[in-house]
């Protein structure tokens, strides 16, 4: 794994977080319950030097049988245990769901938390993994995994604004379509906020 991608992401993420403190996207649905449950997801960017599409990002499709967010596209992740940091939880969940070896993950840093209408306070953790990393999905939690180009999902041209209604309230969410996969809702919002922080397409590298 090269240093170039890690260094670029570190520089862009740090620069992006020097901006205003408020990310542009939030969940418009009021959270259920007073106390939000802490959670974390791993945004694992794959180092693919020379690949025509550039780096990828590892994502999963959840089984339709799951109680939480069935059938949805997501980043690997889940609830933070009492004795864990968000980074530790994101690494653990990625190992449980995709078999990602934590020793092969280079953490870049945390980015904007996303508080969901389903009662979670999600911390996204940006990291770099080898493009050839072995993936062993857990069939109980992952119907399939996929790897869209990182630059594709960060491109605002692919982040479509949609409107939905929930319990009489109307609000907007982000939808990204890639090769039959629909990335939307919380995950779409996290990506749109990350695009706000990481000027991937405006970077001269």
């Amino acid at each position: 794994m090269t240093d170039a991608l890690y260094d670029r992401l570190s520089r862009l993420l740090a620069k992006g977080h020097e901006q205003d403190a408020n990310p542009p996207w939030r969940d418009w649905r009021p959270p259920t319950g007073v106390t939000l449950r802490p959670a974390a997801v791993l945004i694992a960017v794959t180092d693919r030097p020379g690949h025509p599409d550039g780096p990828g990002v590892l994502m999963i499709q959840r089984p339709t049988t799951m109680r939480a967010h069935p059938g949805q596209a997501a980043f690997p992740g889940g609830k933070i245990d009492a004795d864990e940091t968000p980074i530790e939880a994101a690494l653990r969940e990625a190992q449980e769901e995709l078999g990602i070896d934590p020793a092969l993950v280079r953490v870049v840093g945390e980015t904007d938390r996303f508080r969901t209408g389903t009662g979670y306070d999600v911390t996204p953790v940006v990291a770099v993994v080898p493009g050839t990393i072995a993936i062993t999905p857990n069939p109980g939690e992952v119907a399939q995994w996929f790897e869209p180009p990182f630059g594709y999902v960060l491109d605002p041209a692919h982040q479509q604004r949609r409107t939905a209604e929930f319990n009489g309230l109307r609000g907007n969410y982000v939808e990204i379509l890639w090769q039959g996969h629909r990335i939307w809702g919380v995950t779409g919002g996290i990506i749109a906020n990350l695009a706000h922080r990481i000027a991937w397409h405006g970077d001269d590298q």
Side-chain angles (χ1 to χ4, degrees):
M1 188 162 55
T2 66
D3 292 331
L5 177 59
Y6 176 85
D7 291 345
R8 182 183 180 192
L9 285 172
S10 297
R11 172 174 54 82
L12 290 175
L13 189 64
K15 184 177 180 180
H17 276 278
E18 292 173 356
Q19 303 180 65
D20 58 281
N22 297 316
W25 282 95
R26 296 177 177 84
D27 197 328
W28 53 273
R29 302 167 300 172
T32 55
V34 176
T35 303
L36 295 177
R37 292 163 288 184
V41 297
L42 187 70
I43 303 177
V45 184
T46 54
D47 191 10
R48 308 187 299 189
H51 193 285
D53 293 328
V57 62
L58 297 178
M59 304 195 69
I60 64 173
Q61 201 82 34
R62 297 199 176 279
T64 56
T65 54
M66 290 194 72
R67 183 168 56 88
H69 309 292
Q72 291 188 12
F75 295 113
K79 290 184 288 186
I80 299 175
D81 291 340
D83 59 344
E84 288 182 315
T85 66
I87 290 174
E88 290 169 341
L91 293 176
R92 174 182 54 77
E93 288 285 347
Q95 185 175 33
E96 291 175 1
E97 294 181 354
L98 289 178
I100 294 176
D101 183 354
L104 299 177
V105 180
R106 295 185 69 185
V107 173
V108 176
E110 299 176 11
T111 189
D112 295 298
R113 288 156 57 185
F114 199 97
R115 295 167 178 86
T116 78
T118 51
Y120 289 95
D121 184 353
V122 182
T123 299
V125 176
V126 181
V128 176
V129 298
T132 56
I133 194 167
I135 301 296
T136 309
N138 178 347
E141 299 188 65
V142 178
Q144 62 174 309
W145 67 275
F146 60 104
E147 187 182 357
F150 189 55
Y152 180 95
V153 299
L154 287 189
D155 189 341
H158 300 138
Q159 300 168 6
Q160 302 301 311
R161 182 188 294 260
R162 304 296 187 211
T163 301
E165 185 170 328
F166 178 78
N167 287 345
L169 298 175
R170 291 180 65 83
N172 297 318
Y173 65 92
V174 175
E175 179 185 69
I176 302 167
L177 302 178
W178 181 78
Q179 293 191 0
H181 295 282
R182 180 181 182 232
I183 306 165
W184 65 291
V186 171
T187 304
I190 288 173
I191 292 172
N193 285 342
L194 185 63
H196 174 69
R197 298 299 183 191
I198 293 182
W200 188 260
H201 294 284
D203 181 40
D204 58 10
Q205 304 184 46

